[in-house]
Amino acid sequence: MNHLEFEKPLIELYEKIEQLKSLSKTSEINLDQEIEKIEKRALMVKKDIYSHLTPPQIVQIARHQNRPDSLSLLHLMSDSFVPLHGDRLFRDDPSIVGGLASIGGHKVVVIGHQKGHDTKENIYRNFGMPHPEGYRKALRLMKMAEKFKRPIVTLIDTPGAYPGIEAEERGQAEAIARNLKEMAAFTVPIITFVIGEGGSGGALAIGVANKVHMLEYSVYSVISPEGCASILFRDATKSDLASASLKITSEDVVRLGIADGVIAEPLGGGHHDWNAVSKCIKNQIVSDLKLYSKMDPSDIMEERYQKFRNMGQYSS
Amino acid sequence: MSILDWLSKKQKVSPQAEKLNIPGDLWVKCKSCSEVMFIKDLEKSFKVCIHCEYHFRITPDERLSYLFDKKSFKEIDGGIKPIDFLEFTDTEPYKKRIELAQKKSNRSEAMIIGEATLNNHPINVGIMDFSFMGGSMGSVVGEKVTRIIENAIINKAPLFIFTSSGGARMQEGITSLMQMAKTSAALSRLSDAGVPYVSILCDPTTGGTSASFAMLGDIHIAEPGALISFAGPRVIEQTIRQKVPKGFQRAEFLLEHGMVDMVVKRKDLKQRLLDIVTLLGVQEG
């Protein structure tokens, strides 16, 4: 597994443990006590590191190559899952996935950004950066959900919309805008989870939801820290400072009233235990949908509308 | 071009450029073709270059005076002001940037909204001001766009929004991003109310502004040469090292790709808007 730089003290302890273990095997000296001691220390160090994470470190976890991806989570938490493809206009965009699913007995339509875990996968998934056809596929599925009265669950994990010539030519601004407008008017509940990176308009395009939950080590931002550093700070190396200034961690985004809650991750980050992450998300979906199943469709729409209507801080 | 050609060209240009500095603000040089013209001529031509038809960026007041009936504009909610709730500092504190922009523009924010008449037709108007922090959309701009939409839902008069904006305002972080959702949601209610919305895309309209209310008009009109995009040419070139072709993301390119209905010269805009209002805006029955 890829280790993060700030975990270095921890990795050193792990290496020591491994060394002692192999030594005790080959030399037949009992080192169990020693090993246990270091293991205890490693746990303490881990707890310590993870209780003092800085925003740039959280960004690293959110982007971790082994971070649980949408498709894996959907498979883990669904009783059944039927993937669906294509926007019916241009092509199927592999950076957005979706389909029909049953989660904890609830029949829902699911949509998510899809990243890969290695270079080959990432190239196929375009690093989770959708083209316009991705948003249009998402909209097609959401309209189907509205038609058949199925709640919508979306998983956000994207660096942002793809900044490329073709994406611009095919109108990605319009595609994002259209989703924002249409999502506001659906009468089925929409539940969104930011599972990794919530990058700008590309994230929001599937994020106009009744409930927005963020995994503990996910981020949600108007622009990438790198983009902000090069534009505002005029220095691309200042992305750490930008990530702190932009207030993009789950805790900050909840404090700002933009996300509704934080979903705790296993110690050391969700990449250590996909199953645990999927269970937490599933539980949240089930408890949210229980609530909305008793609510009038027009009230569900109104609740979502007012939620976004009231976002903004100014003096009048 | 050889160096000699370049030198002789430079010599030809420089006397004009020098003259330019002497009479102060009587002359102006076109940013596009570099030709020099009398400022009165430029003003008479709606701030469009008399040589190459380059459309200069203009202030909200100039737009109002070119299009609407004299003194008909009544501003709404001019008093809402931005606050620095993230205590954001980049190369300068956000607070200072706001103060500076307010002083320079004599306005509280990058947008004005209000009611005006166009040949006696009542119109709801929103105009963005690019000179105020790049026309960026933070809480105040998002709120103003939403309020003018709500105003139109009530009074049923057509809505015109003139966009000129670099996108979401980074200094207000994630809250700026949410203004995209807020304004777009309001437009869904305007659609339900059957009120026409004409989006007039001016130079430049990019980022979060184009990916929300700017691209959701019933009719899209672009000013000639306006840059209209989500990710601008510089962002594309820097992030994916793709060189963009000439004319890419300009108004005419968007017309060709089906993203706008028409590209209209500033001098023809009033008549075009009038035609649209009479054909679409007056409720039948």
Side-chain angles (χ1 to χ4, degrees):
Chain A
M1 183 171 291
N2 291 330
H3 293 294
L4 301 163
E5 211 199 307
F6 61 84
E7 287 182 321
K8 213 172 156 193
L10 195 60
I11 306 314
E12 280 165 5
L13 289 174
Y14 285 155
E15 277 168 0
K16 214 177 235 171
I17 293 168
E18 284 309 306
Q19 277 169 8
L20 288 178
K21 275 184 179 167
S22 69
L23 189 71
S24 77
K25 242 186 226 164
T26 51
S27 64
E28 287 179 13
I29 313 167
N30 191 335
L31 293 167
D32 285 359
Q33 264 191 335
E34 281 298 307
I35 292 171
E36 200 182 319
K37 234 166 129 186
I38 303 177
E39 274 175 343
K40 265 190 188 156
R41 225 179 100 208
L43 186 66
M44 266 170 60
V45 170
K46 194 173 186 179
K47 277 185 180 160
D48 185 57
I49 291 176
Y50 274 82
S51 60
H52 297 99
L53 289 174
T54 63
Q57 289 169 343
I58 293 172
V59 170
Q60 286 180 50
I61 306 173
R63 292 174 178 170
H64 196 287
Q65 197 157 27
N66 283 81
R67 187 121 185 117
D69 60 281
S70 292
L71 272 181
S72 302
L73 290 173
L74 289 172
H75 281 294
L76 283 171
M77 67 185 158
S78 305
D79 317 317
S80 65
F81 174 45
V82 179
L84 299 171
H85 296 275
D87 66 345
R88 301 293 186 271
L89 295 162
F90 186 71
R91 65 156 196 156
D92 184 51
D93 186 342
S95 60
I96 287 194
V97 296
L100 309 172
S102 166
I103 298 174
H106 292 275
K107 292 168 190 159
V108 296
V109 166
V110 292
I111 293 159
H113 298 100
Q114 184 64 28
K115 285 188 185 175
H117 296 291
D118 55 39
T119 310
K120 197 179 155 198
E121 261 180 16
N122 262 324
I123 289 171
Y124 175 61
R125 300 292 180 184
N126 200 32
F127 297 83
M129 292 184 282
H131 280 71
E133 45 274 22
Y135 309 118
R136 288 173 183 144
K137 166 165 71 180
L139 184 59
R140 187 194 132 227
L141 298 185
M142 289 191 278
K143 282 188 166 171
M144 186 159 63
E146 176 76 3
K147 180 176 169 184
F148 296 107
K149 304 279 169 258
R150 296 286 183 261
I152 299 165
V153 173
T154 73
L155 306 179
I156 289 178
D157 189 15
T158 179
Y162 185 60
I165 289 178
E166 297 80 9
E168 289 290 315
E169 260 172 3
R170 296 198 286 274
Q172 77 179 339
E174 190 274 344
I176 294 170
R178 173 89 31 219
N179 281 17
L180 306 181
K181 181 181 172 186
E182 302 272 353
M183 285 182 90
F186 292 140
T187 58
V188 296
I190 306 177
I191 318 289
T192 289
F193 296 85
V194 185
I195 60 168
E197 275 184 283
S200 186
L204 185 62
I206 59 167
V208 185
N210 292 75
K211 289 272 180 273
V212 178
H213 304 284
M214 288 181 71
L215 290 190
E216 190 174 359
Y217 304 125
S218 68
V219 292
Y220 202 177
S221 182
V222 65
I223 185 169
S224 71
E226 292 78 7
C228 178
S230 79
I231 298 170
L232 279 190
F233 295 81
R234 301 197 184 278
D235 182 353
T237 63
K238 290 202 170 143
S239 66
D240 284 2
L241 182 61
S243 68
S245 309
L246 284 165
K247 302 280 186 282
I248 62 180
T249 65
S250 57
E251 202 183 309
D252 282 329
V253 177
V254 169
R255 194 179 307 132
L256 286 165
I258 306 300
D260 297 280
V262 177
I263 293 182
E265 290 188 33
L267 181 63
H271 49 282
H272 291 292
D273 192 347
W274 292 9
N275 225 342
V277 174
S278 81
K279 273 189 189 136
C280 292
I281 295 178
K282 181 178 172 175
N283 288 343
Q284 189 65 52
I285 294 173
V286 171
S287 92
D288 282 354
L289 290 185
K290 215 182 209 170
L291 212 86
Y292 286 110
S293 65
K294 293 179 201 125
M295 220 165 138
D296 194 69
S298 63
D299 291 340
I300 293 173
M301 177 185 69
E302 190 61 24
E303 181 204 69
R304 189 183 324 112
Y305 186 86
Q306 292 306 333
K307 175 190 171 92
F308 286 88
R309 175 65 190 86
N310 293 323
M311 286 181 187
Q313 298 191 41
Y314 49 86
S315 85
S316 43
Chain B
M1 192 191 295
S2 75
I3 287 192
L4 277 177
D5 290 342
W6 179 79
L7 269 175
S8 67
K9 203 176 171 195
K10 184 134 180 103
Q11 273 163 353
K12 265 183 223 156
V13 174
S14 56
Q16 279 179 323
E18 261 169 47
K19 254 189 223 160
L20 196 71
N21 293 332
I22 301 161
D25 46 7
L26 278 178
W27 297 86
V28 68
K29 191 172 160 185
C30 175
K31 273 181 197 153
S32 176
C33 70
S34 297
E35 289 283 342
V36 172
M37 66 208 112
F38 208 27
I39 201 155
K40 283 241 165 81
D41 289 337
L42 180 67
E43 271 162 11
K44 253 189 257 164
S45 66
F46 304 96
K47 291 245 168 126
V48 173
C49 174
I50 56 171
H51 303 287
C52 74
E53 294 205 321
Y54 168 75
H55 283 55
F56 284 67
R57 285 176 189 161
I58 58 175
T59 65
D61 287 325
E62 283 167 328
R63 272 194 203 287
L64 286 172
S65 72
Y66 295 158
L67 292 169
F68 297 99
D69 302 337
K70 224 178 177 177
K71 290 191 175 161
S72 71
F73 181 72
K74 303 271 177 294
E75 189 172 2
I76 298 172
D77 294 329
I80 35 180
K81 291 185 181 72
I83 45 179
D84 177 24
F85 54 91
L86 294 184
E87 295 175 355
F88 198 100
T89 297
D90 45 85
T91 54
E92 256 186 86
Y94 178 37
K95 256 194 198 123
K96 215 170 146 195
R97 282 187 192 276
I98 296 170
E99 275 169 26
L100 210 79
Q102 286 175 336
K103 227 174 174 178
K104 234 173 71 184
S105 66
N106 216 10
R107 291 192 189 288
S108 65
E109 253 290 357
M111 175 166 220
I112 56 165
I113 55 169
E115 294 174 359
T117 58
L118 179 74
N119 279 19
N120 298 319
H121 295 288
I123 307 288
N124 295 288
V125 189
I127 308 178
M128 300 183 91
D129 185 356
F130 188 76
S131 71
F132 193 109
M133 290 189 71
S136 55
M137 169 163 64
S139 298
V140 173
V141 168
E143 184 65 22
K144 283 190 165 184
V145 172
T146 308
R147 288 194 191 180
I148 196 63
I149 295 166
E150 288 168 345
N151 204 62
I153 292 171
I154 294 166
N155 69 21
K156 305 273 184 203
L159 170 65
F160 296 173
I161 296 182
F162 299 80
T163 56
S164 182
S165 164
R169 185 172 295 171
M170 287 173 272
Q171 290 90 342
E172 291 184 24
I174 190 75
T175 307
S176 295
L177 187 73
M178 295 304 143
Q179 305 310 308
M180 295 167 62
K182 176 162 112 181
T183 54
S184 304
L187 283 172
S188 116
R189 302 217 155 167
L190 186 73
S191 280
D192 293 345
V195 177
Y197 164 38
V198 183
S199 174
I200 301 106
L201 300 114
C202 310
D203 187 57
T205 298
T206 63
T209 300
S210 73
S212 60
F213 60 93
M215 273 291 163
L216 293 171
D218 296 297
I219 292 175
H220 293 171
I221 301 177
E223 280 207 328
L227 176 74
I228 303 161
S229 68
F230 182 64
R234 233 180 321 154
V235 177
I236 294 176
E237 287 179 0
Q238 279 170 6
T239 12
I240 61 161
R241 320 237 170 259
Q242 221 175 347
K243 189 95 190 120
V244 308
K246 201 170 175 279
F248 181 63
Q249 299 178 323
R250 296 288 161 184
E252 298 72 15
F253 178 93
L254 270 89
L255 180 65
E256 204 178 298
H257 284 81
M259 291 300 148
V260 299
D261 292 282
M262 57 192 104
V263 178
V264 179
K265 291 177 188 168
R266 207 171 274 159
K267 70 175 168 63
D268 301 326
L269 187 57
K270 183 172 183 170
Q271 189 55 50
R272 246 336 139 78
L273 288 171
L274 251 175
D275 290 344
I276 290 167
V277 166
T278 27
L279 291 169
L280 206 58
V282 182
Q283 303 264 335
E284 296 290 332

